[in-house]
Amino acid sequence: MLKFRGKVPVAYALAYLNFTKEGTAQKLVHQIKYKGQKEAGERIGYWYGEELKTNFAPIVETDFVVGVPLHKSRLQQRGYNQADWIGKGLAEGLDKPFRNDVLVRNQYAGSQTRRSRLERYKNVDTVFAVANPADVFGKHVVIADDVLTTGATIEACAQVLLDAGCRTVGVVTIAATR
């Protein structure tokens, strides 16, 4: 994916579907993200994990999968984190552990959906942290999320993981915009 070229050195960035306005991927992601369809999130993550395990050799190096975290107040408001559902399914399909205690969102930055590309980068630049750097040191970590748009959120997560000593960071999302 060109979204990361020259920014954060991710090992790979993969998306299961192309996200287009009013398309199937948007409808699926909205059901998971806004309608709380946990089973759909876990199932599509699982299917994608199984496919990657068979057809994408670099993913076998993964030590564990993490979801993009929500801030505590946002998690309390929504009641769930769809990235965790996707990440759990993905990890299960890959036969790898899922960890939701590694990345933390230490600031509430609000929704990214109506922000420009530059605003998105500024909005998440310093909001993520690694809870315990020893957990990621020398590891191959995969970040799971629902949609990759500008890459700002994923880049911020990847950067803190790399700064904490990850050997490599991969990115797997259900959908990506072009």
Side-chain angles (χ1 to χ4, degrees):
M1 286 196 171
L2 298 176
K3 293 178 189 290
F4 295 107
R5 185 170 286 167
K7 295 178 184 174
V8 175
V10 297
Y12 48 84
L14 307 168
Y16 198 50
L17 303 166
N18 288 320
F19 188 95
T20 56
K21 191 170 177 70
E22 305 301 323
T24 303
Q26 182 185 32
K27 292 172 185 166
L28 174 64
V29 167
H30 281 211
Q31 286 297 308
I32 297 166
K33 188 171 190 169
Y34 301 115
K35 303 291 184 186
Q37 296 294 316
K38 178 180 182 180
E39 186 175 335
E42 289 180 349
R43 182 62 45 202
I44 196 163
Y46 178 80
W47 288 335
Y48 197 25
E50 282 198 317
E51 183 178 319
L52 290 172
K53 183 172 61 175
T54 303
N55 299 312
F56 187 68
I59 204 133
V60 300
E61 299 296 321
T62 301
D63 288 300
F64 55 86
V65 176
V66 300
V68 171
L70 293 176
H71 187 267
K72 290 178 210 170
S73 63
R74 183 69 168 141
L75 182 59
Q76 187 174 21
Q77 178 186 28
R78 187 179 287 167
Y80 57 87
N81 180 354
Q82 75 283 352
D84 281 354
W85 296 342
I86 294 162
K88 285 177 188 175
L90 180 71
E92 186 180 333
L94 293 172
D95 293 321
K96 301 292 181 177
F98 174 78
R99 303 270 311 262
N100 67 353
D101 62 339
V102 172
L103 274 177
V104 293
R105 191 176 207 133
N106 52 30
Q107 296 173 31
Y108 181 71
S111 175
Q112 296 278 74
T113 56
R114 289 185 168 78
R115 297 179 193 266
S116 72
R117 178 179 287 270
L118 182 58
E119 289 171 333
R120 286 175 183 235
Y121 281 96
K122 289 179 180 178
N123 192 44
V124 295
D125 189 38
T126 60
V127 302
F128 297 103
V130 173
N132 182 3
D135 288 345
V136 301
F137 188 81
K139 304 288 186 190
H140 302 280
V141 177
V142 171
I143 303 169
D145 204 5
D146 52 3
V147 179
L148 177 67
T149 51
T150 63
T153 300
I154 294 289
E155 284 183 27
C157 290
Q159 191 63 63
V160 298
L161 287 165
L162 291 166
D163 290 347
C166 271
R167 181 175 294 167
T168 61
V169 174
V171 175
V172 176
T173 64
I174 295 306
T177 61
R178 291 199 175 255

